[in-house]
Amino acid sequence: MTVSDFPLIAIVGPTASGKSDLALSIAEHFGGEIVNYDSVQIFRGLDIGSAKPTAEERRRVPHHMIDIRDPDDVYTAGDYQREARPVLEEIRSRSRLPILVGGTGFYLKAVIEGLFDGPQRSELWRRRMESIVEKRGREYLHRLLKRFDPEAAGRIAPRDKPKIMRALEVRLATGQSLSEHFRREPRQPLKGFRVHTIGLNPDRDETWRRIDERVVRMFAAGFVEEVRGLIDAGTSPEARAFGAIGYREIVANLEDSIPWDETIRIIQRNTRRYAKRQMTWFRNQPGVTWFDGPGDNDSIKERAHRFVQLALSR
């Protein structure tokens, strides 16, 4: 780091751990602005199921990287890196404190550590690969990847269609494997900022309770009606945004008509599993200062404020 590095606060933790509440508290106390790194909140109209900040919260504190794409759009971690970094620079130019908050660890990693950009998307090759998947399945696509880029195939799960398609697309469009591009074009980490990361580690049983209650509140707030409205307005049920937990289960139910109580139970279960994966991811990231409690707890807020104050004084 250099003396010109500007402080940046990142908040990590499982879903329903109070990250957004803590981010608001820090932003209001220290003159900050919030930069979302949740992969669902970027989509317009996906409000209830993504626990998007309310209009009142967005009036209290400026929020960025929210409502920037339509639900049918394809948006990647690479897109996020390219668009979020200028936002951080803009916040710094106003001498405001940037605060990254969300739940998509790969987006956070992209903006801080950098990603391999690679060649631009090829719609021609993607259409061909989608046709192959429809006719033969994604496992066949993975077998093709083994032939063209065995190194990438060894890293990518046979059913991870987006990553398989990207690796094949790069190989077919450029004549070089994704692995070769990785070696030739190293990642570029974020420069000009010193990152201070707060990790929220609430009690697991408490987290499960909060998740279950949040899902019930979402349904009471009109979650099903939100999804129906998006589809009626023209969003495809196959939209990538509808692959998010909650949305995909509701879309499936609109087609299969299983009892809504069962759908709620499935979403609760899937969200708890997602929270476990989030914690596994974040615990494996270096440089996190962990706080054992939820971010909407007054004691945690006080401790986090002291942490931020110390970070700003360095």
Side-chain angles (χ1 to χ4, degrees):
M1 295 294 181
T2 69
V3 292
S4 62
D5 287 335
F6 196 84
L8 183 156
I9 304 299
I11 302 175
V12 305
T15 188
S17 61
K19 296 187 298 292
S20 297
D21 196 81
L22 179 60
L24 279 167
S25 175
I26 292 173
E28 290 184 315
H29 191 84
F30 294 98
E33 300 187 20
I34 292 172
V35 181
N36 163 62
Y37 68 85
D38 184 277
S39 62
V40 186
Q41 291 187 5
I42 65 165
F43 292 110
R44 302 180 187 97
L46 275 68
D47 302 332
I48 296 172
S50 69
K52 197 173 288 181
T54 65
E56 189 272 332
E57 289 169 336
R58 293 163 76 171
R59 283 192 295 269
R60 286 164 53 190
V61 170
H63 285 67
H64 305 271
M65 302 301 290
I66 291 176
D67 293 339
I68 60 173
R69 289 292 189 278
D70 290 325
D72 277 311
D73 292 343
V74 174
Y75 194 81
T76 68
D79 295 325
Y80 179 81
Q81 172 190 288
R82 286 188 291 273
E83 296 183 22
R85 285 185 172 181
V87 170
L88 296 175
E89 294 286 354
E90 179 189 346
I91 295 170
R92 177 172 66 172
S93 73
R94 296 194 297 272
S95 297
R96 304 276 289 176
L97 176 65
I99 304 164
L100 283 160
V101 65
T104 308
F106 196 47
Y107 276 27
L108 181 64
K109 187 180 182 72
V111 74
I112 292 176
E113 298 183 18
L115 289 177
F116 157 71
D117 281 337
Q120 290 189 342
R121 290 164 52 89
S122 168
E123 294 303 328
L124 172 63
W125 283 114
R126 284 182 174 261
R127 285 194 297 271
R128 291 182 179 180
M129 287 186 283
E130 288 287 3
S131 177
I132 291 172
V133 171
E134 289 179 10
K135 293 177 181 177
R136 303 199 178 191
R138 64 187 73 187
E139 288 84 0
Y140 179 79
L141 209 62
H142 192 264
R143 290 198 293 274
L144 288 179
L145 182 60
K146 281 184 180 179
R147 184 195 310 171
F148 288 108
D149 187 355
E151 187 176 345
R155 294 194 310 266
I156 300 173
R159 295 191 60 80
D160 193 340
K161 188 177 81 168
K163 290 183 181 178
I164 295 170
M165 289 180 62
R166 177 56 175 162
L168 271 173
E169 170 189 47
V170 169
R171 174 63 177 81
L172 295 170
T174 69
Q176 292 182 313
S177 71
L178 187 62
S179 307
E180 290 171 319
H181 282 282
F182 274 135
R183 286 189 284 270
R184 195 177 67 249
E185 303 174 33
R187 296 180 300 178
Q188 297 296 323
L190 180 67
K191 296 180 180 178
F193 292 88
R194 59 180 187 274
V195 181
H196 306 272
T197 305
I198 295 171
L200 296 175
N201 183 34
D203 174 77
R204 191 184 72 167
D205 290 341
E206 172 68 8
T207 301
W208 287 183
R209 181 188 65 79
R210 290 160 70 106
I211 287 171
D212 290 349
E213 291 179 353
R214 173 188 276 190
V215 173
V216 171
R217 289 197 303 271
M218 286 176 172
F219 272 76
F223 195 2
V224 176
E225 290 73 20
E226 176 176 279
V227 176
R228 280 201 182 107
L230 287 165
I231 293 174
D232 290 345
T235 300
S236 168
E238 303 297 320
R240 188 166 176 179
F242 281 159
I245 295 173
Y247 289 96
R248 66 179 181 233
E249 290 86 358
I250 290 177
V251 169
N253 194 350
L254 292 176
E255 296 174 351
D256 298 337
S257 300
I258 66 174
W260 285 111
D261 286 348
E262 177 65 9
T263 300
I264 291 173
R265 187 193 67 77
I266 292 171
I267 294 173
Q268 290 170 329
R269 180 202 64 195
N270 291 345
T271 306
R272 292 194 296 269
R273 290 175 177 174
Y274 177 59
K276 286 183 181 179
R277 295 195 299 272
Q278 285 178 306
M279 285 306 295
T280 298
W281 172 279
F282 290 129
R283 284 187 179 124
N284 287 329
Q285 303 309 303
V288 180
T289 299
W290 289 98
F291 293 81
D292 291 331
D296 50 7
N297 178 281
D298 288 341
S299 174
I300 297 298
K301 285 182 182 178
E302 290 176 10
R303 291 171 56 200
H305 282 199
R306 291 196 295 270
F307 172 88
V308 174
Q309 187 63 63
L310 180 61
L312 296 178
S313 68
R314 291 174 181 168

